[in-house]
Amino acid sequence: MEQCKESSRLYEGKILNLRVDQVQFEDGTSTIREVVEHRGAAAIVPILEGDMVVLVRQFRYAANSELLEIPAGTLEPDEDPEICALRELEEETGYKSKEILKIFECHIAPGYSTEKIHFYIARGLVRTEMKTEEDERIKIEVITIKEALDKMRNGQICDAKTVCGLYRALELL
């Protein structure tokens, strides 16, 4: 077990904070831990009739690449993850869901981040309209689940949350 002896916040941002903690081990030695604080997120695997999945394609600045992903977004303060998942589904894809099921949750990078992602499957989708944020440039791609698997295998889908969410959803379908 590690015990925090001193903590300092180096950065406070819109979606994350950065702090540096001095921690002490049970044997008395100490080290530094850099921690990215994040409110958490929700991700959703939208399934259409005929085993089709709705994905979003967008440029990710940090990865310097356009990625194919499942819809997802950061939780608002004190927001229920299911509400976040449904909001992100409609904002990013223009679909509402009649049926949603939580399939798992996980820490995305526990070595340095507090972020936990909650994953859902959405079925019974009804088309509405996209309501993207001002800074989002999203294109929708609807492909078969088999195509999604092929894209994961050949590296065309390489986003960790998307790979995890799709494999778990496939396991349950």
Side-chain angles (χ1 to χ4, degrees):
M1 189 76 166
E2 299 174 3
Q3 183 178 7
C4 182
K5 293 298 184 180
E6 188 178 320
S7 184
S8 60
R9 180 154 296 147
L10 300 181
Y11 174 78
E12 287 190 31
K14 179 181 168 187
I15 61 168
L16 59 86
N17 303 322
L18 175 62
R19 74 172 198 262
V20 176
D21 294 352
Q22 170 108 26
V23 299
Q24 186 174 35
F25 298 106
E26 291 175 358
D27 67 4
T29 60
S30 62
T31 193
I32 299 292
R33 297 288 188 217
E34 299 168 340
V35 180
V36 174
E37 300 171 336
H38 189 282
R39 288 190 301 267
I44 192 159
V45 181
I47 304 293
L48 292 167
E49 296 296 321
D51 289 332
M52 304 293 285
V53 63
V54 180
L55 300 174
V56 296
R57 182 177 292 281
Q58 60 186 319
F59 182 80
R60 293 299 199 171
Y61 181 81
N64 192 32
S65 185
E66 194 174 76
L67 300 179
L68 192 56
E69 307 172 48
I70 57 175
T74 301
L75 297 169
E76 296 297 332
D78 301 316
E79 184 178 32
D80 181 283
E82 184 173 310
I83 300 299
C84 178
L86 290 169
R87 173 175 45 80
E88 292 295 333
L89 174 65
E90 186 170 14
E91 283 179 7
E92 294 187 359
T93 69
Y95 282 97
K96 283 188 176 185
S97 175
K98 293 181 181 178
E99 179 187 336
I100 185 172
L101 173 69
K102 186 167 188 175
I103 55 175
F104 77 108
E105 60 187 54
C106 68
H107 292 276
I108 200 69
Y112 63 85
S113 176
T114 63
E115 182 179 8
K116 181 188 278 190
I117 299 183
H118 304 263
F119 290 84
Y120 297 85
I121 291 178
R123 299 196 85 139
L125 301 180
V126 177
R127 193 79 170 124
T128 60
E129 65 179 68
M130 291 174 64
K131 300 173 184 170
T132 55
E133 301 282 330
E134 189 175 293
D135 64 345
E136 293 178 315
R137 305 293 183 269
I138 295 175
K139 298 175 220 153
I140 302 303
E141 290 192 26
V142 179
I143 61 176
T144 66
I145 290 174
K146 183 191 177 317
E147 288 172 312
L149 280 171
D150 290 343
K151 287 179 183 292
M152 286 188 287
R153 287 186 193 111
N154 69 26
Q156 290 177 296
I157 294 178
C158 57
D159 168 62
K161 75 176 174 314
T162 301
V163 172
C164 291
L166 285 172
Y167 273 126
R168 180 66 178 132
L170 292 173
E171 186 177 70
L172 296 171
L173 292 174

